[in-house]
């Protein structure tokens, strides 16, 4: 009797909520863009996009495009924020995070991976060859080696030097300077209009050993829903992890928002969610999104975020709008 009373009470409370009123209907049936689209974070995305564009022109699928873009950046051993050339953790080890998601909703992710040149391809192998989504650390490295990815103990002299300089004060400040150029997040759309995404990074410089950011976490650093759109992120991973930002952006687009409006709303939510933990002046977070029609959105907390776009054969780097004005 008491249970029944509680049930009826709960039901009454539920029906009082305007549950459906804040889910706007989508206005039209989207027409998929099929002429080729790649967007990626920061100026260096231009080079990554060129690799993805080549895949598109060769008839590759979106997943091939975004993987090629990630590999292009991971192959650049002078790059201090991606791949084996990346800045190390505070103990001097470069540890890599990456993920990939395809148009079927399949995902693969690798975290805290050491001494492997192409984490994005390891993530793809996890997606395609295992029943799992995430492998980390030693196990991820074992899987990589067993699947033909050679171990490589390369150290970037510039990264080593920066670490030695950091060691003098050893100040642990997990704050991302708003000028910093980090992680590459890539979204691609192929000739069938299908979407995929990838993300690859060496993460926060001089982080605690074992720290993993948003970049390899499906829903935070990347999310793809081939019925709606895709989103990716860069910036201080902790702020993005707390907000599940990429999933949120895709859900906002599902409710009818343009990718630009979805990125703007997600930045506002991220700032709200992190308000009790960090001062907004002290971190940067940046989002990139696209929908099925090939419309694009970009937004960041602070100015300085740029993104590269390759659309219908045209490459460009564009500045993102931001919540604050410097
Ligand atoms: N999001 C990355 C991380 O927190 C770093 C970045 O994109 O700046 O690991």
């Amino acid at each position: 009797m008491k249970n029944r009373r509680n049930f009826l009470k709960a039901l009454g409370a539920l029906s009082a909520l305007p549950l459906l009123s804040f889910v706007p209907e989508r206005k039209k049936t989207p027409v998929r863009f099929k002429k080729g689209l790649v967007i990626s974070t920061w100026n260096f995305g231009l080079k990554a996009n060129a690799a993805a564009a080549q895949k598109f022109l060769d008839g590759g699928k979106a997943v091939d495009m975004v993987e090629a873009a990630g590999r292009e950046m991971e192959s650049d051993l002078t790059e201090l924020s991606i791949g084996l050339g990346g800045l190390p953790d505070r103990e001097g080890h470069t540890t890599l995070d990456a993920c990939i998601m395809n148009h079927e909703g399949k995902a693969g992710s690798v975290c805290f991976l050491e001494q492997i040149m192409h984490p994005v391809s390891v993530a793809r192998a996890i997606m395609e060859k295992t029943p799992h989504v995430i492998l980390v650390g030693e196990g991820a490295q074992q899987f990589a080696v067993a699947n033909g990815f050679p171990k490589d103990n390369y150290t970037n002299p510039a990264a080593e030097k920066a670490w030695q300089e950091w060691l003098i004060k050893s100040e642990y400040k997990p704050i991302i300077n708003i000028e910093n150029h980090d992680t590459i997040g890539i979204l691609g759309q192929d000739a069938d209009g299908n979407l995929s995404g990838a993300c690859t990074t060496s993460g926060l410089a001089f982080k605690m050993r074992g720290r993993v950011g948003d970049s390899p976490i499906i829903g935070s650093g990347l999310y793809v829903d081939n019925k709606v759109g895709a989103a990716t992120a860069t910036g201080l991973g902790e702020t993005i992890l707390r907000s599940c930002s990429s999933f949120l952006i895709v859900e906002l687009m599902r409710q009818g928002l343009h990718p630009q409006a979805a990125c703007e709303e997600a930045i506002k939510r991220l700032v709200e969610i992190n308000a009790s933990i960090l001062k907004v002046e002290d971190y940067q977070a940046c989002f990139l999104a696209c929908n099925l029609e090939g419309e694009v959105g970009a937004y960041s907390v602070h100015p300085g975020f740029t993104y590269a776009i390759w659309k219908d054969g045209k490459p460009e780097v564009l500045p993102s709008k931001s919540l604050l004005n410097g």
Side-chain angles (χ1 to χ4, degrees):
M1 192 58 196
K2 197 170 161 225
N3 279 349
R4 188 179 143 76
R5 251 203 323 271
N6 287 345
F7 174 69
L8 289 175
K9 219 165 111 191
L11 207 65
L14 256 186
S15 62
L17 287 174
L19 266 185
L20 294 175
S21 64
F22 51 76
V23 182
E25 270 177 45
R26 253 189 279 164
K27 289 178 194 70
K28 50 185 173 151
T29 311
V31 178
R32 285 180 190 267
F33 184 73
K34 296 188 175 174
K35 294 180 180 175
L37 172 72
V38 197
I39 49 174
S40 37
T41 53
W42 305 113
N43 292 2
F44 55 34
L46 204 56
K47 180 164 96 166
N49 287 1
Q54 193 54 54
K55 280 282 173 201
F56 174 83
L57 297 171
D58 294 345
K61 300 286 172 210
V63 71
D64 304 315
M65 294 161 64
V66 296
E67 183 193 12
R71 286 177 68 94
E72 180 70 21
M73 296 311 301
E74 290 166 353
S75 300
D76 182 350
L77 296 176
T78 64
E79 179 49 59
L80 289 168
S81 61
I82 299 164
L84 291 176
L87 292 166
D89 63 18
R90 62 188 192 177
E91 294 181 25
H93 306 278
T94 297
T95 70
L96 306 175
D97 298 333
C99 71
I100 194 159
M101 196 164 180
N102 75 6
H103 70 285
E104 294 173 306
K106 291 185 183 151
S109 157
V110 67
C111 310
F112 190 45
L113 180 68
E114 292 176 279
Q115 299 185 342
I116 300 286
M117 185 180 253
H118 288 301
V120 73
S121 297
V122 178
R124 184 169 180 177
I126 293 167
M127 171 173 85
E128 290 176 348
K129 296 183 181 176
T130 80
H132 306 304
V133 173
I134 307 181
L135 291 182
V136 306
E138 207 184 309
Q141 193 192 58
Q142 251 173 40
F143 169 82
V145 171
N147 282 275
F149 297 91
K151 263 175 97 170
D152 182 335
N153 62 3
Y154 175 79
T155 304
N156 178 1
E160 169 80 17
K161 186 165 174 272
W163 177 60
Q164 294 291 351
E165 282 164 11
W166 176 83
L167 275 179
I168 298 169
K169 280 197 181 162
S170 299
E171 259 183 319
Y172 187 57
K173 280 196 190 161
I175 299 290
I176 287 205
N177 182 289
I178 58 168
E179 301 292 314
N180 233 348
H181 291 219
D182 281 284
T183 307
I184 186 150
I186 312 127
L187 308 176
Q189 194 169 24
D190 61 25
D192 295 320
N194 286 329
L195 292 169
S196 290
C199 203
T200 177
T201 188
S202 53
L204 197 59
F206 318 128
K207 58 197 172 189
M208 282 176 72
R209 184 141 179 84
R211 181 265 189 190
V212 172
D214 62 303
S215 307
I217 304 303
I218 301 298
S220 284
L222 177 74
Y223 201 71
V224 177
D225 184 330
N226 199 42
K227 288 199 181 106
V228 176
T232 190
T234 176
L236 185 61
E238 283 71 8
T239 64
I240 301 161
L241 280 165
R242 287 185 198 107
S243 326
C244 287
S245 303
S246 292
F247 184 74
L248 173 63
I249 293 167
V250 172
E251 286 308 298
L252 290 167
M253 291 194 286
R254 187 192 308 283
Q255 292 179 20
L257 262 61
H258 185 280
Q260 184 61 35
C263 288
E264 293 184 13
E265 178 61 23
I267 284 284
K268 284 182 206 145
R269 295 278 288 276
L270 175 142
V271 169
E272 274 169 31
I273 289 166
N274 287 281
S276 65
I277 304 154
L278 288 166
K279 285 199 235 143
V280 71
E281 303 86 64
D282 289 342
Y283 66 87
Q284 172 67 309
C286 321
F287 300 143
L288 208 49
C290 65
N291 62 14
L292 299 185
E293 290 162 296
E295 292 172 324
V296 171
Y299 205 58
S300 55
V301 176
H302 294 276
F305 175 47
T306 58
Y307 65 100
I309 175 164
W310 183 88
K311 189 171 182 182
D312 198 5
K314 188 175 163 216
E316 267 182 295
V317 172
L318 297 170
S320 160
K321 290 186 187 152
S322 58
L323 182 68
L324 307 175
N325 294 314

